[in-house]
Amino acid sequence: MATLVPWRQRIERSIAISRSIRGGNYVQLGTVDNTGKPHVRTIVFRGFANEYDMKFITDARSEKCNHSSACEVCWWFSKSSEQFRISGNLKYIGSNETDPFLLSLRKQQWGNLSDKAREQFFWAETPKSPVIESSSSSSSSIPPGGRDENGKLLQPPDIFLLVLLQPSSCDYLRLTDNFRQYDSLLPSPASTTATSSNENDNDLKESPSTCNTVEVVDNWLCSRVNP
């Protein structure tokens, strides 16, 4: 039987195995709009902001910024035949952020982008707006690489947002041996073992199937479940 370890430890290994695969850092993000309609799109994973929060970027004019903050990311690793479904809440970090650490993360991410990626945040057109051939943005109005005439990086425009996915659960599946594990973040450090605590009943019910092994590791309730 595989050892129960939090999803964060598992995904670190999966990322390392798939690092050489083109598009290996692409994930699918699902959100829900205010009518209850689901939306899914592919975005680029940009690393971890801390031990668990996942980093992405977006344009503040994007539709998803007006959706519910509750979301789920699905990440398939073809080389190791593993799937991670990570649920949590999105936090958008813009120029009006008051936390100095988060502002520094945003600035750092801006500097880490390729020149072509930075240029997109100077486009005048709103995402998903109709294309008007006669009034398309002039390339001369877009600073090459998001830099000034001396090659120095410009400050990120207000529409550039760093996005943090703050996870609360992860549904992990490995197809090579049909191993499945469901992890849920405990609201506070566990003072008792998971098998004797009634406070975690809801977490177990969220699991897709009945668990036969449960452990608390690093404040995560890790449940071995049927695939």
Side-chain angles (χ1 to χ4, degrees):
M1 180 179 294
T3 302
L4 294 184
V5 296
W7 66 272
R8 180 66 172 84
Q9 296 178 34
R10 293 189 186 279
I11 206 168
E12 195 69 38
R13 175 179 174 276
S14 304
I15 291 172
I17 292 174
S18 301
R19 199 174 299 278
S20 61
I21 299 178
R22 182 176 176 82
N25 59 339
Y26 294 174
V27 305
Q28 280 63 55
L29 170 67
T31 57
V32 178
D33 65 24
N34 57 10
T35 69
K37 180 181 178 181
H39 300 259
V40 179
R41 77 287 289 162
T42 300
I43 59 176
V44 180
F45 170 68
R46 305 281 178 175
F48 287 95
N50 50 34
E51 190 174 3
Y52 290 104
D53 292 356
M54 305 172 71
K55 293 191 298 181
F56 309 97
I57 62 171
T58 195
D59 187 313
R61 299 169 296 180
S62 171
E63 289 181 331
K64 61 178 164 292
C65 296
N66 296 316
H67 293 176
S68 168
S69 64
C71 71
E72 181 168 283
V73 155
C74 184
W75 196 347
W76 168 251
F77 291 90
S78 60
K79 197 166 185 177
S80 53
S81 295
E82 296 173 292
Q83 176 181 268
F84 293 80
R85 289 171 50 200
I86 303 166
S87 299
N89 286 281
L90 297 175
K91 179 177 177 61
Y92 296 96
I93 301 162
S95 58
N96 59 346
E97 176 61 51
T98 58
D99 186 319
F101 173 70
L102 296 180
L103 280 176
S104 69
L105 281 181
R106 176 177 179 264
K107 183 177 181 180
Q108 180 186 58
Q109 189 59 62
W110 176 250
N112 289 343
L113 296 181
S114 67
D115 285 359
K116 288 294 184 182
R118 276 192 297 271
E119 289 177 4
Q120 295 178 25
F121 289 94
F122 291 95
W123 292 351
E125 293 84 6
T126 300
K128 209 175 179 179
S129 61
V131 173
I132 303 176
E133 298 291 347
S134 61
S135 61
S136 58
S137 290
S138 170
S139 58
S140 61
S141 64
I142 300 175
R147 302 173 184 271
D148 63 18
E149 60 273 13
N150 298 316
K152 184 179 179 181
L153 281 182
L154 296 170
Q155 290 297 311
D158 290 342
I159 61 171
F160 173 73
L161 300 181
L162 174 65
V163 186
L164 297 184
L165 168 53
Q166 301 171 319
S168 57
S169 68
C170 177
D171 191 343
Y172 167 78
L173 176 64
R174 184 174 60 229
L175 293 183
T176 53
D177 59 354
N178 291 320
F179 176 86
R180 189 173 186 179
Q181 179 175 315
Y182 184 82
D183 296 357
S184 56
L185 182 64
L186 296 172
S188 60
S191 58
T192 60
T193 60
T195 53
S196 64
S197 173
N198 292 326
E199 295 179 359
N200 298 320
D201 287 347
N202 289 333
D203 293 316
L204 294 176
K205 289 176 182 177
E206 289 178 13
S207 175
S209 52
T210 305
C211 61
N212 55 23
T213 304
V214 180
E215 295 179 19
V216 173
V217 186
D218 296 338
N219 207 38
W220 285 84
L221 178 67
C222 305
S223 308
R224 174 75 187 273
V225 299
N226 292 313

